[in-house]
Amino acid sequence: MTENELRQKVANIINAWVGATKGSAKHLEILEIYNTHRPLARGYTVKVTDAYCATTASAAYIKAGIAEYTGTECGVEKYTLVAKGLGIWVEDDAHTPKIGDACVYDWDDNGVGDCTGAGDHIGIVTATGGGKFTVTEGNMSGGKVGKRTMAVNGKYIRGFICPDFAAIAKKISAAEAPAAPQATPQAVTSHTVVAGDTLGKIAKKYGATVEALAEINGIKNPNLIHVGQVIYLTAAAAATAKLARLGAINSPDYWAQAAASGKVKYLDILLTKAAEKITKAGARTATPEEGVAALVAAGVINTPDYWLANYGTFPSLGTLLCALGGAVK
């Protein structure tokens, strides 16, 4: 997992709680995550009637699996002290935060100089750009989870909790890496025609049918193939080859193998549908989320929740979504 993927994971978690109100299912989920985490900060179990902005930020970090690096708290000022103790507190109102950082507010801040008052409220940064940033917060007015747009160095900013996401991502990746990786046999996804080959012989060799190979490869006359011609054995392999020719992707063999391995559900469908829609390469989307949105709009995928939740679970899958999403725009 990369630093940016980890940051976005935290943002996705807290954004999924937007709309929660006190006593709602989402609110109870937040409390359950926080209250069952150990160690429980100060031994206090948060109640449904309590203010829960710090609890929400903590729960997002807990669910992302990084609470040991961010600390947890149900009190805003106490959380500030925890962050200072961990060395991740940024005492600078004018700091430009990144996605996944936490913004602490002081409602008594007059907007002049660096605010050093007591923290009143907290949320997690979930979008940045144009001198502004979006913060997703629990316990906003009316006790709901919602979003607020802030200007960099804006009034009411007390400071920021800035976990070292690069170091955390590196530690997580190292922990998840197999101790002694074994080579995985590569699936055969194509065949280059040699003298004496017929489509029937090729089909028999790979357990396919002449009709299937003809359809996959756009062969109108199954009796006419030539030496050096590449016969793709799966629709996904043919799709990746086409996408590579168009310049939409630059690693067709990698994605053909990934689809054949079955490690990414729906990947073969994604590739084949994308190849049907895409006619030329395009500028990659800035984020996998934007790529997913573009692919949904183009009718390439109809399971956005799956891709949003899983693009970080397979190497370069987020990059693929950005590339395909940019090409279908």
Side-chain angles (χ1 to χ4, degrees):
M1 179 176 291
T2 67
E3 173 187 352
N4 288 337
E5 288 171 342
L6 183 56
R7 288 181 178 276
Q8 192 60 54
K9 180 179 181 180
V10 173
N12 290 345
I13 288 170
I14 195 167
N15 279 338
W17 293 329
V18 169
T21 55
K22 284 190 175 182
S24 67
K26 290 182 178 181
H27 179 226
L28 295 178
E29 178 189 353
I30 293 168
L31 300 190
E32 176 71 12
I33 291 170
Y34 181 86
N35 288 332
T36 57
H37 176 71
R38 294 295 180 270
L40 181 62
R42 291 182 285 151
Y44 180 76
T45 301
V46 180
K47 302 177 179 62
V48 174
T49 54
D50 290 337
Y52 67 103
C53 59
T55 301
T56 302
S58 295
Y61 289 141
I62 292 169
K63 189 170 182 178
I66 62 173
E68 65 179 294
Y69 307 104
T70 65
T72 61
E73 248 299 338
C74 56
V76 178
E77 185 59 20
K78 292 288 186 182
Y79 209 162
T80 299
L81 297 176
V82 169
K84 289 179 178 179
L86 291 171
I88 58 174
W89 173 254
V90 175
E91 181 60 58
D92 182 6
D93 296 6
H95 174 72
T96 300
K98 296 181 179 180
I99 291 173
D101 294 343
C103 178
V104 177
Y105 305 97
D106 175 9
W107 301 136
D108 293 327
D109 178 22
N110 60 14
V112 178
D114 183 39
C115 173
T116 58
D120 298 315
H121 190 60
I122 187 174
I124 289 179
V125 177
T126 51
T128 62
K132 298 180 179 180
F133 57 94
T134 300
V135 188
T136 303
E137 309 161 7
N139 204 53
M140 294 184 75
S141 179
K144 66 181 181 180
V145 178
K147 297 187 178 186
R148 185 193 314 270
T149 299
M150 295 291 295
V152 173
N153 200 24
K155 187 177 180 181
Y156 304 125
I157 296 175
R158 169 65 186 87
F160 298 90
I161 296 174
C162 299
D164 188 346
F165 278 92
I168 299 169
K170 186 177 293 185
K171 289 180 180 179
I172 291 174
S173 295
E176 293 177 346
Q182 300 296 316
T184 301
Q186 297 291 296
V188 178
T189 58
S190 65
H191 174 91
T192 301
V193 177
V194 297
D197 274 347
T198 66
L199 203 57
K201 288 182 179 180
I202 296 170
K204 183 177 181 180
K205 179 177 180 179
Y206 296 106
T209 65
V210 170
E211 292 76 15
L213 293 183
E215 181 178 357
I216 290 170
N217 293 274
I219 298 173
K220 295 181 179 179
N221 186 343
N223 297 314
L224 293 178
I225 59 174
H226 57 82
V227 173
Q229 181 178 354
V230 177
I231 304 297
Y232 297 102
L233 307 178
T234 67
T240 57
K242 176 186 176 182
L243 292 169
R245 288 195 300 272
L246 295 173
I249 63 174
N250 56 14
S251 49
D253 291 342
Y254 175 82
W255 291 114
Q257 291 289 338
S261 73
K263 292 180 179 179
V264 182
K265 192 176 181 181
Y266 309 129
L267 179 58
D268 55 342
I269 298 174
L270 169 67
L271 292 168
T272 52
K273 286 193 173 182
E276 292 172 1
K277 296 282 186 178
I278 293 172
T279 57
K280 62 180 179 179
R284 292 182 176 181
T285 60
T287 66
E289 286 71 23
E290 292 178 10
V292 169
L295 291 166
V296 170
V300 174
I301 63 176
N302 58 12
T303 54
D305 290 345
Y306 170 80
W307 295 106
L308 292 173
N310 290 281
Y311 70 76
T313 63
F314 192 83
S316 301
L317 187 54
T319 302
L320 177 68
L321 291 170
C322 290
L324 297 181
V328 295
K329 281 187 174 181

